[in-house]
Amino acid sequence: MQESVEKVYEQVVARNRGESEFHQAVREVLESLDPVIAKRPDYADNALLERIVEPERQIMFRVPWTDDAGRVHVNRGFRVEFNSALGPYKGGLRFHPSVNAGIIKFLGFEQIFKNALTDQGIGGGKGGSDFDPHGRSDSEVMRFCQSFMTELSRHIGPDTDVPAGDIGVGGREIGYMFGQYKRLTNRYDAGVLTGKPVAWGGSLTRTEATGYGTVLFAQSMLATRGDSLEGKKVAVSGSGNVAIYAIEKLQQLGADPVTFSDSSGYVVDERGIDLELLKQVKEVERGRVADYVARKPGARLVTQGRPWDVPVDVALPCATQNELDGDHAVTLLRNGVGVVAEGANMPSTPEAVEAFQAAGILYAPGKASNAGGVATSALEMSQNSSRTRWSFEEVEARLTGIMADIHDSCVEAAQAYGHPGDYVLGANAAGFTKVADAMIQHGIV
């Protein structure tokens, strides 16, 4: 990095001690911006880097709630409103024991550029809690969500900050939070949360969007080399919405996904993943991947290692941050992988990214390849504003167009800044310049 850019990174580390994921996300972006700053010295003159790495607002609050036995628990809630240059803050809520301020800041920082790439007029934010909904009854989850929203409600709104779901937050949690928001505000602001059930303001295709979008981005990358996903063997990690609907779209496009996973291990199903059974186990029963194996002949559960040990043509990490490290990358490359598209946020470590780029394979960072979810959330906001509902086909067509545009923006930016084929630089440069130009036009605020 240039000396001036390195100083910005050092200041981030000094101001945000111990927040390693945030440091990692900032460094990955800043390392890409040397050619951008060289071409646009006005960005440095306006201290754009110093300003963009500092959240506009950080909120942390206590969330007390009672379990079914009457015991009182206290969790922490977070909302980081990172940048509103392009529109209201937009980003999911994550309920998971690993959640802390650094993880929320890393996610919010990534969201700035991801949202900019969608060209949907949304800023970047993220939130959540260290609450774990797994193993909790519906009543316990409801009481937690109501307590969480009691505080969060004063900071959000359809034109201010629009949260959505993320890990641990699905339609059930969104419903409980919306109900409490409506009760507290006496307003039916349908656009204040996205990821809602369709019956009361949600968008068709939203559940599928992140997984579908990741696969569509991989297809676009392959098209630059005259290839497609048809017939390709694919490793997918995770078994939540992103993984499930990535598998669905892969099968629709003629690919052969053979793995999925959760914290208990990963499944290899060489005979073909039974998508309906997987949905039943994970979406209806909220079970474990072992439950799938118990009911699917030929599938096997592997409790040691990762899906990246399986020889494949394409890898789609769709679980969580830093799940694919340098050793996994070497294994994938040795076994012939040609495409890696991230469905999760920052699932590849810096060592893995370096290995993929050095090998010259097609590699897409999550802020580009998994932007379909937030893009469709923005489409949900549009439907809420106009009180209309679009068909599944119409939303999917819009999603397909948005993902194609994101891909082309990355390619064009990488070319413009002298690094053709570098999707990391292309995504960061394309997203950053959109936000930076708006920040300059808004003045020093």
Side-chain angles (χ1 to χ4, degrees):
M1 289 189 288
Q2 295 180 25
E3 184 178 352
S4 60
V5 179
E6 184 71 45
K7 286 182 178 177
V8 174
Y9 175 71
E10 291 172 356
Q11 186 176 57
V12 167
V13 173
R15 281 183 167 177
N16 303 274
R17 296 188 182 278
E19 298 177 353
S20 57
E21 293 88 357
F22 181 47
H23 303 164
Q24 179 183 338
V26 170
R27 187 171 191 91
E28 187 263 338
V29 171
L30 293 183
E31 284 178 338
S32 298
L33 296 181
D34 278 350
V36 180
I37 301 301
K39 185 176 280 192
R40 291 288 304 273
D42 58 319
Y43 289 163
D45 294 342
N46 283 274
L48 260 299
L49 294 182
E50 291 88 341
R51 290 159 61 192
I52 208 165
V53 298
E54 192 67 28
E56 292 176 8
R57 188 175 297 106
Q58 299 182 64
I59 303 151
M60 184 169 70
F61 51 93
R62 180 179 66 198
V63 188
W65 59 282
T66 56
D67 64 23
D68 289 341
R71 290 184 293 265
V72 177
H73 300 260
V74 180
N75 287 95
R76 275 185 173 175
F78 302 89
R79 188 68 180 173
V80 174
E81 297 174 335
F82 224 115
N83 191 287
S84 59
L86 297 179
Y89 308 105
K90 186 84 190 78
L93 297 169
R94 175 175 294 190
F95 292 171
H96 192 272
S98 66
V99 166
N100 56 44
I103 285 178
I104 296 300
K105 281 156 72 174
F106 124 63
L107 292 167
F109 184 71
E110 286 279 291
Q111 204 77 36
I112 300 170
F113 310 104
K114 179 192 301 187
N115 292 3
L117 287 169
T118 70
D119 207 22
Q120 297 292 295
I122 44 178
K126 206 75 176 184
S129 174
D130 55 2
F131 170 74
D132 187 358
H134 290 292
R136 292 294 178 183
S137 70
D138 287 350
S139 295
E140 289 173 326
V141 172
M142 180 186 70
R143 287 192 290 272
F144 172 82
C145 288
Q146 289 173 339
S147 182
F148 182 85
M149 181 52 74
T150 297
E151 176 61 31
L152 186 66
S153 63
R154 67 186 72 191
H155 306 291
I156 63 175
D159 298 310
T160 304
D161 184 353
V162 183
D166 193 87
I167 293 172
V169 178
R172 174 182 62 170
E173 289 77 16
I174 292 291
Y176 292 148
M177 286 188 282
F178 183 80
Q180 183 72 350
Y181 177 87
K182 179 166 63 76
R183 183 183 190 186
L184 291 167
T185 63
N186 195 32
R187 292 194 304 271
Y188 203 103
D189 289 336
V192 72
L193 291 166
T194 58
K196 302 181 292 295
V198 174
W200 45 274
S203 175
L204 293 164
T205 318
R206 175 60 190 92
T207 302
E208 297 85 355
T210 308
Y212 276 22
T214 302
V215 174
L216 291 169
F217 198 96
Q219 182 87 316
S220 292
M221 288 197 296
L222 280 162
T224 66
R225 298 187 178 180
D227 203 353
S228 75
L229 283 164
E230 187 171 1
K232 296 287 191 298
K233 190 174 180 180
V234 186
V236 178
S237 66
S239 52
N241 274 356
V242 182
I244 288 172
Y245 291 99
I247 291 168
E248 181 167 284
K249 180 55 72 173
L250 286 165
Q251 291 180 341
Q252 290 174 6
L253 295 177
D256 182 23
V258 295
T259 72
F260 55 88
S261 65
D262 62 19
S263 58
S264 65
Y266 70 92
V267 172
V268 182
D269 194 346
E270 299 279 4
R271 296 183 183 180
I273 293 171
D274 183 335
L275 191 60
E276 292 310 309
L277 175 58
L278 178 58
K279 289 180 179 180
Q280 175 67 27
V281 168
K282 299 303 290 190
E283 295 182 335
V284 179
E285 300 171 11
R286 301 182 188 273
R288 311 299 286 164
V289 294
D291 301 327
Y292 174 96
V293 173
R295 288 143 70 178
K296 176 66 191 304
R300 57 189 174 90
L301 177 66
V302 183
T303 56
Q304 300 295 321
R306 297 287 178 87
W308 323 126
D309 298 331
V310 179
V312 291
D313 305 302
V314 178
L316 304 182
C318 297
T320 192
Q321 67 269 7
N322 291 327
E323 61 168 296
L324 196 165
D325 64 22
D327 291 339
H328 298 138
V330 169
T331 299
L332 281 167
L333 292 166
R334 184 173 59 243
N335 287 333
V337 78
V339 181
V340 177
E342 296 182 341
N345 294 306
M346 204 172 72
S348 305
T349 66
E351 295 77 16
V353 175
E354 184 178 352
F356 293 143
Q357 292 189 308
I361 69 165
L362 295 166
Y363 165 72
K367 64 171 63 70
S369 52
N370 78 15
V374 74
T376 307
S377 282
L379 297 179
E380 183 176 328
M381 292 166 64
S382 295
Q383 293 170 77
N384 293 158
S385 294
S386 59
R387 295 186 181 275
T388 57
R389 183 181 298 167
W390 302 334
S391 69
F392 187 99
E393 292 74 20
E394 183 175 359
V395 180
E396 185 177 11
R398 289 173 184 254
L399 168 64
T400 301
I402 291 169
M403 294 310 299
D405 289 343
I406 292 172
H407 174 268
D408 293 348
S409 294
C410 295
V411 170
E412 291 164 9
Q415 183 75 38
Y417 290 105
H419 292 262
D422 186 339
Y423 286 92
V424 175
L425 186 144
N428 288 330
F432 173 78
T433 53
K434 289 181 181 182
V435 178
D437 289 343
M439 290 176 70
I440 289 174
Q441 293 157 10
H442 292 173
I444 309 299
V445 293

